[in-house]
Coordinates of all heavy atoms in Angstrom, one line a residue:
T22 N 62.4 -15.5 -6.8 CA 61.6 -14.7 -5.9 C 60.2 -14.9 -6.2 O 59.8 -15.1 -7.4 CB 62.0 -13.3 -6.0 OG1 61.9 -12.8 -7.3 CG2 63.5 -13.1 -5.6
P23 N 59.3 -14.7 -5.2 CA 57.8 -14.8 -5.5 C 57.4 -13.7 -6.5 O 57.9 -12.6 -6.5 CB 57.2 -14.5 -4.1 CG 58.3 -14.9 -3.1 CD 59.6 -14.5 -3.8
G24 N 56.4 -14.1 -7.3 CA 55.9 -13.2 -8.3 C 55.0 -12.1 -7.7 O 54.6 -12.1 -6.5
I25 N 54.6 -11.2 -8.5 CA 53.8 -10.1 -8.1 C 52.3 -10.7 -8.0 O 51.9 -11.4 -8.8 CB 53.8 -9.0 -9.1 CG1 55.3 -8.5 -9.3 CG2 52.9 -7.9 -8.7 CD1 55.4 -7.4 -10.4
P26 N 51.6 -10.3 -6.9 CA 50.2 -10.8 -6.8 C 49.4 -10.3 -7.9 O 49.5 -9.2 -8.5 CB 49.8 -10.2 -5.4 CG 51.0 -9.9 -4.7 CD 52.1 -9.5 -5.7
G27 N 48.5 -11.2 -8.4 CA 47.6 -10.9 -9.5 C 46.5 -9.9 -9.1 O 46.2 -9.6 -7.9
R28 N 45.9 -9.3 -10.1 CA 44.9 -8.3 -9.8 C 43.6 -9.0 -9.5 O 43.4 -10.2 -9.7 CB 44.7 -7.4 -11.0 CG 44.2 -8.2 -12.3 CD 44.1 -7.2 -13.4 NE 43.6 -8.0 -14.6 CZ 43.4 -7.4 -15.8 NH1 43.6 -6.1 -15.9 NH2 42.9 -8.1 -16.8
D29 N 42.7 -8.2 -8.9 CA 41.4 -8.7 -8.5 C 40.6 -9.1 -9.7 O 40.6 -8.5 -10.7 CB 40.6 -7.7 -7.7 CG 41.3 -7.4 -6.3 OD1 42.1 -8.2 -5.9 OD2 41.1 -6.3 -5.8
G30 N 39.8 -10.2 -9.6 CA 38.9 -10.7 -10.6 C 37.7 -9.8 -10.8 O 37.4 -8.9 -10.0
L31 N 36.9 -10.1 -11.8 CA 35.6 -9.4 -12.0 C 34.6 -9.7 -10.9 O 34.6 -10.8 -10.3 CB 35.1 -9.8 -13.4 CG 36.0 -9.5 -14.6 CD1 35.3 -10.0 -15.9 CD2 36.3 -8.0 -14.7
K32 N 33.7 -8.8 -10.7 CA 32.7 -9.0 -9.7 C 31.7 -10.0 -10.1 O 31.2 -10.0 -11.2 CB 32.0 -7.6 -9.4 CG 31.0 -7.7 -8.3 CD 30.4 -6.3 -8.0 CE 29.5 -6.4 -6.8 NZ 28.9 -5.0 -6.6
G33 N 31.4 -11.0 -9.2 CA 30.5 -12.0 -9.6 C 29.0 -11.6 -9.5 O 28.7 -10.5 -9.0
E34 N 28.2 -12.4 -10.1 CA 26.7 -12.1 -10.1 C 26.1 -12.3 -8.7 O 26.7 -13.0 -7.8 CB 26.0 -13.0 -11.1 CG 26.5 -12.9 -12.5 CD 25.7 -13.8 -13.4 OE1 24.9 -14.6 -12.9 OE2 26.0 -13.8 -14.6
K35 N 25.1 -11.6 -8.5 CA 24.4 -11.6 -7.2 C 23.8 -13.0 -7.0 O 23.0 -13.5 -7.8 CB 23.3 -10.5 -7.1 CG 22.7 -10.5 -5.7 CD 21.7 -9.3 -5.6 CE 21.0 -9.2 -4.3 NZ 20.0 -8.1 -4.2
G36 N 24.1 -13.6 -5.8 CA 23.5 -15.0 -5.6 C 22.1 -14.9 -4.9 O 21.7 -13.9 -4.5
E37 N 21.5 -16.1 -4.9 CA 20.2 -16.2 -4.3 C 20.3 -16.3 -2.8 O 21.3 -16.9 -2.3 CB 19.5 -17.4 -4.9 CG 19.2 -17.3 -6.4 CD 18.5 -18.5 -6.9 OE1 18.2 -19.4 -6.1 OE2 18.2 -18.6 -8.1
C38 N 19.4 -15.8 -2.1 CA 19.4 -15.8 -0.7 C 18.8 -17.2 -0.2 O 17.7 -17.6 -0.6 CB 18.5 -14.7 -0.1 SG 18.5 -14.7 1.7
M39 N 19.7 -17.9 0.5 CA 19.3 -19.3 0.9 C 19.1 -19.2 2.4 O 20.0 -18.7 3.2 CB 20.4 -20.3 0.6 CG 20.6 -20.4 -0.9 SD 19.2 -21.0 -1.8 CE 19.2 -22.7 -1.2
R40 N 18.0 -19.6 2.9 CA 17.7 -19.6 4.3 C 17.7 -21.0 4.8 O 16.9 -21.9 4.4 CB 16.3 -19.0 4.5 CG 15.9 -18.9 6.0 CD 14.5 -18.2 6.2 NE 14.6 -16.9 5.6 CZ 13.5 -16.1 5.6 NH1 12.3 -16.5 6.0 NH2 13.6 -14.8 5.1
E41 N 18.6 -21.2 5.7 CA 18.8 -22.5 6.3 C 17.8 -22.7 7.5 O 17.7 -21.8 8.3 CB 20.2 -22.8 6.8 CG 21.2 -22.8 5.7 CD 22.6 -23.0 6.2 OE1 22.7 -23.2 7.4 OE2 23.5 -23.1 5.4
S42 N 17.1 -23.8 7.5 CA 16.2 -24.0 8.5 C 16.6 -25.3 9.3 O 16.9 -26.3 8.7 CB 14.8 -24.2 8.0 OG 14.7 -25.3 7.1
I43 N 16.7 -25.1 10.6 CA 17.1 -26.3 11.4 C 15.8 -26.9 12.0 O 15.1 -26.3 12.8 CB 18.0 -25.8 12.6 CG1 19.3 -25.1 12.0 CG2 18.4 -27.0 13.5 CD1 20.2 -24.5 13.0
E44 N 15.5 -28.1 11.5 CA 14.3 -28.7 11.9 C 14.6 -29.6 13.1 O 15.6 -30.3 13.2 CB 13.7 -29.6 10.8 CG 13.3 -28.8 9.5 CD 12.7 -29.6 8.5 OE1 12.7 -30.9 8.7 OE2 12.3 -29.1 7.4
E45 N 13.7 -29.5 14.0 CA 13.8 -30.4 15.2 C 13.3 -31.8 14.8 O 12.6 -32.0 13.9 CB 12.9 -29.8 16.3 CG 13.3 -28.4 16.8 CD 12.4 -27.9 17.9 OE1 11.4 -28.6 18.2 OE2 12.6 -26.8 18.3
S46 N 13.8 -32.7 15.6 CA 13.4 -34.1 15.3 C 11.9 -34.2 15.6 O 11.4 -33.7 16.6 CB 14.2 -35.1 16.2 OG 14.0 -34.7 17.6
W47 N 11.2 -34.9 14.7 CA 9.7 -35.0 14.8 C 9.3 -36.1 15.8 O 9.8 -37.3 15.6 CB 9.1 -35.2 13.4 CG 7.6 -35.3 13.5 CD1 6.8 -36.4 13.5 CD2 6.7 -34.1 13.5 NE1 5.5 -36.0 13.6 CE2 5.4 -34.6 13.6 CE3 6.9 -32.8 13.5 CZ2 4.3 -33.8 13.6 CZ3 5.8 -31.9 13.5 CH2 4.5 -32.4 13.5
T48 N 8.5 -35.8 16.7 CA 7.9 -36.8 17.7 C 6.5 -37.1 17.3 O 5.7 -36.2 17.1 CB 8.0 -36.2 19.1 OG1 9.3 -35.9 19.4 CG2 7.5 -37.3 20.1
P49 N 6.2 -38.4 17.0 CA 4.8 -38.7 16.7 C 3.8 -38.3 17.7 O 4.1 -38.4 18.9 CB 4.9 -40.3 16.6 CG 6.3 -40.6 16.4 CD 7.1 -39.6 17.1
N50 N 2.7 -37.8 17.2 CA 1.6 -37.3 18.1 C 0.3 -37.7 17.5 O -0.1 -37.2 16.5 CB 1.7 -35.7 18.2 CG 0.7 -35.2 19.2 OD1 0.2 -35.9 20.0 ND2 0.4 -33.9 19.1
F51 N -0.4 -38.6 18.1 CA -1.7 -39.1 17.7 C -2.5 -39.6 18.9 O -2.0 -39.7 20.0 CB -1.5 -40.3 16.7 CG -0.7 -41.5 17.3 CD1 -1.5 -42.5 18.0 CD2 0.6 -41.6 17.3 CE1 -0.8 -43.6 18.5 CE2 1.3 -42.7 17.8 CZ 0.5 -43.7 18.5
K52 N -3.8 -39.8 18.5 CA -4.8 -40.2 19.6 C -6.0 -40.9 18.9 O -6.3 -40.6 17.8 CB -5.3 -38.9 20.3 CG -6.2 -39.2 21.5 CD -6.7 -38.0 22.2 CE -7.6 -38.3 23.4 NZ -8.1 -37.1 24.1
Q53 N -6.5 -41.8 19.7 CA -7.7 -42.6 19.2 C -8.8 -42.6 20.3 O -8.5 -42.9 21.4 CB -7.3 -44.0 18.8 CG -8.5 -44.9 18.5 CD -8.1 -46.3 18.1 OE1 -8.1 -46.6 16.9 NE2 -7.8 -47.1 19.1
C54 N -10.0 -42.3 19.8 CA -11.2 -42.4 20.7 C -12.1 -43.4 20.1 O -12.4 -43.3 18.9 CB -11.9 -41.1 20.8 SG -10.9 -39.8 21.6
S55 N -12.6 -44.4 20.8 CA -13.5 -45.5 20.3 C -14.7 -45.7 21.2 O -14.6 -45.5 22.4 CB -12.6 -46.7 20.1 OG -12.1 -47.2 21.4
W56 N -15.8 -46.3 20.6 CA -17.0 -46.7 21.2 C -17.5 -48.0 20.8 O -17.4 -48.4 19.6 CB -18.1 -45.6 20.9 CG -17.7 -44.2 21.4 CD1 -18.0 -43.6 22.5 CD2 -16.9 -43.3 20.6 NE1 -17.4 -42.4 22.6 CE2 -16.8 -42.1 21.3 CE3 -16.3 -43.3 19.3 CZ2 -16.1 -41.0 20.9 CZ3 -15.7 -42.2 18.8 CH2 -15.6 -41.0 19.7
S57 N -17.8 -48.8 21.7 CA -18.2 -50.2 21.4 C -19.5 -50.3 20.7 O -19.7 -51.1 19.7 CB -18.3 -51.1 22.7 OG -19.2 -50.6 23.6

């Protein structure tokens, strides 16, 4: 027969807050002005 479920483990340490950022694809943006 299946055994008795084990007891809960110890509480883990507090983790660091990770903020995921979704970056949009970068479109090149440049300009040139010239004088002869």
Side-chain angles (χ1 to χ4, degrees):
T22 57
I25 301 174
R28 62 181 182 180
D29 296 339
L31 300 177
K32 186 177 180 180
E34 299 180 357
K35 185 177 180 180
E37 298 180 358
C38 181
M39 301 295 293
R40 181 177 299 175
E41 297 182 359
S42 60
I43 302 175
E44 297 182 357
E45 299 178 0
S46 59
W47 183 263
T48 302
N50 184 19
F51 60 90
K52 185 179 180 180
Q53 174 179 255
C54 299
S55 59
W56 300 266
S57 59

